[in-house]
Amino acid sequence: MICSHHAVDVGTACLQPITRARLHSTIRLIRQTRQKNPIGLVSGCLCVRAALPAAFYSRRKLSAGRSICPECSPTAHNVTATQQEHAGTSNKVQRKRPSKAFKKSNSSSRGIVIQQLLRIGTEGAYAGLVAGSPVADDLDSASRDSRQVTFSVSNVVRWQRRLDFFITHLTGKACSRLETTTHAILRLAVHELVFQKLPAHAISEHVNLAKALVRPAAGNLVNAVLRRLIREQEAGTLPEPPLPSADTPLEQAADMVAVATSHPTWMVQRWLQRWTQKDTLALLHHNNRSAPKYAVRVSPGRKLSPGQLVTELQETGLKAEPSQVLPEDFLVVNGLQHLIRQGFMERGDCQVQDEAAGLVVGLLDPRPGEAILDACAAPGGKALYAASRMQGQGRLVAMDINKRRLGALRTAAAAHGVKGLIETRTGDLSQYAEWVAQQPEADKQQHQYDKVLVDAPCSGLGVLAKRVDLRWRRKPEELSELAALQARLLDAAASLVKPGGLLVYSTCSIEPEENAEQVTAFLAHHPEYQAESAPADLVPSRLVTADGHLQTLPHLHDMDGAFGARLRRSR
């Protein structure tokens, strides 16, 4: 039997003889279930509790018939009458209503922040998407509360390792020993008191949250921890994460810097091996900016120049200026929420696209009349920009394995006036290349292109400033797996370029094995290709490496980290 709400298999334990071993096993199951759904579960849902003897309830002052969690019911769990009888219940079991305090805490902005943090931490939700969840929809997207929820969720996720340093000091134990919801409440509270400098009376809100969402005892713990935090702040004795000295061993130095700047140690160690501590800290601080710089591309369908759009934006109170690297098509703005609220995105005046992504399209240099393949097209920003530069002439095939995202690309193409130029193809690039190779020579020509863009799946370590949870999702072993995938995609794309044509390889990574080393390995296996330096009229020279490749670094160029290489097929 599966508990549909908590997604745990509880079997038919309630019909089996009670043994000490099974009793302890079931208690562990309840604890695991509580961790999976710390808000909804009070003391174990009926399907789990049915396996326990009455003595278990009496020792803990629990009622077998009145402790069904707010989200569970006998019907939802397919609990039989025999199981209910064994649990000391009747067929008239009624759902226990959540308390008023529970409802009030869940609907407050802080309560919503906690729910979002739990979704990210326990359900794997993406921090960039939680604003569209049902609980966040309770808030008006233009309201101050909504903006505060977005700010708090992003910054607590971004700074969670540094926050845990303070929590470990204040509680005297590892954060892994704290209940999930209590831990989330403490992270939010420490962020507000230490980072935002909120007054001491704010702790009553966090205490009430803990009492309502966990239990009264959790509120007492939160109160004690935060009172100690306030005392140490006032006395000036609250410790800060230390930074390493010049003679600190690399591994220890990486761990110290990682705690202080809230990054995984393995990432920091890689960067300390490549750059100086000063440059590494500059990158880490850039990743932690609470208000990253955003760029938008002016939509050609609106026939607005960047200067005209700047004027319109400034009239609404938004600071905007033309891009220094792509001044004809891009603007740099100091915030997206205002842009969205004023309707510029909905009207199709512009779309969010980083300057680094625009530079990759510049490296491709799409021209009218060309046949172009965007081999890993979703979500479609580069394909749309490339199509806009083709002036309605030519053919652009956008390929991706994700059919749904290609559907969104078609909708966006219609909105931007390039629908007739873009055709979508759902499929895997390697399989497509194999299929083309099996076609008669006369048919292969229509599947060869003047230019092919392989914007390969990558670690994304160049965009950590905007994807605050990505640093915690990435694992070091994934880099070798991604590098192998990138190599396969490049090999597949090589056969789809016409002789004399151009293959552009790009990532949003700053890691060598995904970038320059990948290109070097490709050229060693494909003598028909030669690397070509980025033309000075397409890419500013300050963004070009000694090998002639595009490379942007967030802390040096104030844009996303990205890489691009031009590979010309000679035969």
Side-chain angles (χ1 to χ4, degrees):
M1 182 176 68
I2 300 294
C3 169
S4 60
H5 180 63
H6 299 117
V8 292
D9 187 352
V10 296
T12 55
C14 63
L15 301 180
Q16 300 173 4
I18 296 295
T19 64
R20 181 180 296 274
R22 191 164 62 81
L23 175 60
H24 291 169
S25 174
T26 308
I27 293 172
R28 284 196 300 271
L29 179 58
I30 287 179
R31 289 171 178 164
Q32 293 169 3
T33 308
R34 179 179 291 162
Q35 289 176 353
K36 288 186 177 182
N37 185 25
I39 291 179
L41 186 63
V42 178
S43 56
C45 61
L46 179 64
C47 62
V48 177
R49 293 179 45 118
L52 302 179
F56 176 82
Y57 306 123
S58 61
R59 285 198 303 271
R60 290 158 179 77
K61 299 181 180 180
L62 299 175
S63 166
R66 293 181 57 82
S67 61
I68 304 172
C69 68
E71 301 296 332
C72 296
S73 69
T75 303
H77 294 291
N78 193 28
V79 179
T80 66
T82 304
Q83 291 170 322
Q84 289 183 0
E85 182 179 357
H86 186 86
T89 65
S90 68
N91 288 328
K92 296 182 180 180
V93 172
Q94 307 217 345
R95 181 177 301 189
K96 183 180 179 181
R97 296 181 179 180
S99 67
K100 291 182 179 180
F102 180 91
K103 292 180 179 179
K104 183 177 179 181
S105 297
N106 258 6
S107 62
S108 69
S109 59
R110 283 190 178 94
I112 292 174
V113 170
I114 297 302
Q115 292 183 66
Q116 305 295 33
L117 292 175
L118 292 171
R119 287 189 60 210
I120 294 167
T122 62
E123 299 177 22
Y126 290 94
L129 300 179
V130 292
S133 68
V135 289
D137 289 344
D138 292 339
L139 297 173
D140 181 355
S141 61
S143 71
R144 181 178 180 276
D145 282 347
S146 178
R147 296 194 297 273
Q148 183 60 42
V149 166
T150 301
F151 174 84
S152 295
V153 170
S154 297
N155 280 283
V156 170
V157 172
R158 179 182 286 116
W159 287 104
Q160 66 183 41
R161 191 169 185 189
R162 187 179 174 100
L163 295 172
D164 286 351
F165 168 85
F166 292 115
I167 294 171
T168 298
H169 163 74
L170 295 166
T171 60
K173 59 183 178 182
C175 290
S176 59
R177 295 176 59 189
L178 295 169
E179 284 190 289
T180 306
T181 307
T182 305
H183 189 191
I185 292 170
L186 284 173
R187 278 177 172 172
L188 175 61
V190 173
H191 181 269
E192 291 184 350
L193 295 170
V194 175
F195 285 67
Q196 296 180 251
K197 309 297 183 184
L198 263 60
H201 63 74
I203 69 174
S204 61
E205 294 282 340
H206 306 105
V207 172
N208 291 336
L209 268 177
K211 290 180 177 179
L213 301 183
V214 188
R215 68 176 72 84
N220 297 336
L221 171 64
V222 169
N223 183 62
V225 170
L226 299 184
R227 293 292 178 190
R228 179 180 176 184
L229 170 62
I230 295 298
R231 288 195 302 271
E232 293 191 7
Q233 275 187 313
E234 293 174 348
T237 58
L238 185 67
E240 290 285 335
L243 288 174
S245 61
D247 57 350
T248 305
L250 175 63
E251 292 185 5
Q252 184 181 351
D255 193 60
M256 294 171 71
V257 172
V259 171
T261 61
S262 193
H263 281 73
T265 298
W266 68 270
M267 283 187 194
V268 176
Q269 185 168 337
R270 288 177 65 89
W271 296 333
L272 283 174
Q273 289 173 326
R274 196 184 319 160
W275 299 310
T276 65
Q277 181 173 313
K278 179 181 178 181
D279 286 339
T280 300
L281 285 171
L283 172 61
L284 298 171
H285 291 323
H286 182 280
N287 291 343
N288 286 334
R289 293 196 305 187
S290 60
K293 184 189 75 171
Y294 287 94
V296 295
R297 181 172 63 83
V298 181
S299 300
R302 284 275 293 164
K303 301 190 183 303
L304 280 175
S305 69
Q308 291 172 322
L309 186 56
V310 165
T311 300
E312 288 194 18
L313 292 172
Q314 289 177 343
E315 288 175 354
T316 67
L318 181 67
K319 183 180 178 181
E321 59 184 14
S323 164
Q324 294 184 4
V325 295
L326 294 165
E328 295 183 359
D329 297 313
F330 281 73
L331 302 179
V332 175
V333 297
N334 64 345
L336 291 182
Q337 293 298 319
H338 184 82
L339 197 71
I340 295 170
R341 290 196 300 273
Q342 294 294 327
F344 288 97
M345 306 285 289
E346 186 177 358
R347 290 195 302 269
D349 293 334
C350 56
Q351 72 173 73
V352 179
Q353 188 168 32
D354 194 78
E355 295 164 287
L359 288 166
V360 169
V361 177
L363 201 65
L364 182 68
D365 191 23
R367 298 184 179 183
E370 291 181 330
I372 297 177
L373 171 66
D374 185 350
C376 307
K382 294 182 180 68
L384 292 172
Y385 184 30
S388 72
R389 294 177 60 146
M390 296 171 70
Q391 301 175 11
Q393 302 175 45
R395 172 173 170 250
L396 193 152
V397 178
M399 171 177 284
D400 201 86
I401 60 174
N402 192 313
K403 183 177 181 179
R404 180 184 59 80
R405 298 179 84 188
L406 285 179
L409 171 57
R410 287 192 294 270
T411 302
H416 288 80
V418 293
K419 182 178 181 180
L421 200 66
I422 295 179
E423 62 179 86
T424 58
R425 176 185 291 270
T426 305
D428 176 81
L429 177 62
S430 299
Q431 295 176 357
Y432 175 56
E434 291 174 2
W435 177 82
V436 171
Q438 296 170 2
Q439 303 307 303
E441 288 299 323
D443 295 337
K444 286 183 181 179
Q445 294 183 359
Q446 63 178 325
H447 297 287
Q448 286 199 316
Y449 302 86
D450 298 300
K451 294 173 180 175
V452 174
L453 171 62
V454 178
D455 186 40
C458 67
S459 64
L461 297 191
V463 296
L464 296 184
K466 294 173 183 172
R467 295 185 58 187
V468 296
D469 53 339
L470 182 60
R471 68 186 72 179
W472 310 120
R473 295 178 183 276
R474 277 286 169 255
K475 306 299 178 187
E477 59 271 16
E478 291 176 338
L479 289 178
S480 58
E481 297 169 2
L482 286 165
L485 172 61
Q486 292 154 3
R488 289 197 300 271
L489 292 173
L490 269 175
D491 287 338
S495 62
L496 301 175
V497 180
K498 294 177 181 179
L502 184 69
L503 171 60
V504 171
Y505 171 73
S506 67
T507 72
C508 57
S509 173
I510 57 176
E511 300 310 305
E513 58 264 56
E514 297 185 273
N515 296 337
E517 292 177 13
Q518 193 70 257
V519 171
T520 301
F522 172 80
L523 293 174
H525 289 90
H526 293 274
E528 72 276 21
Y529 277 88
Q530 290 82 40
E532 191 174 271
S533 293
D537 60 331
L538 300 178
V539 178
S541 58
R542 64 188 177 89
L543 305 179
V544 179
T545 68
D547 295 328
H549 305 320
L550 165 70
Q551 178 72 79
T552 59
L553 295 172
H555 59 295
L556 295 181
H557 306 124
D558 200 21
M559 64 181 75
D560 287 350
F563 174 86
R566 286 169 60 99
L567 307 169
R568 181 72 66 178
R569 184 175 184 178
S570 58
R571 63 181 189 275

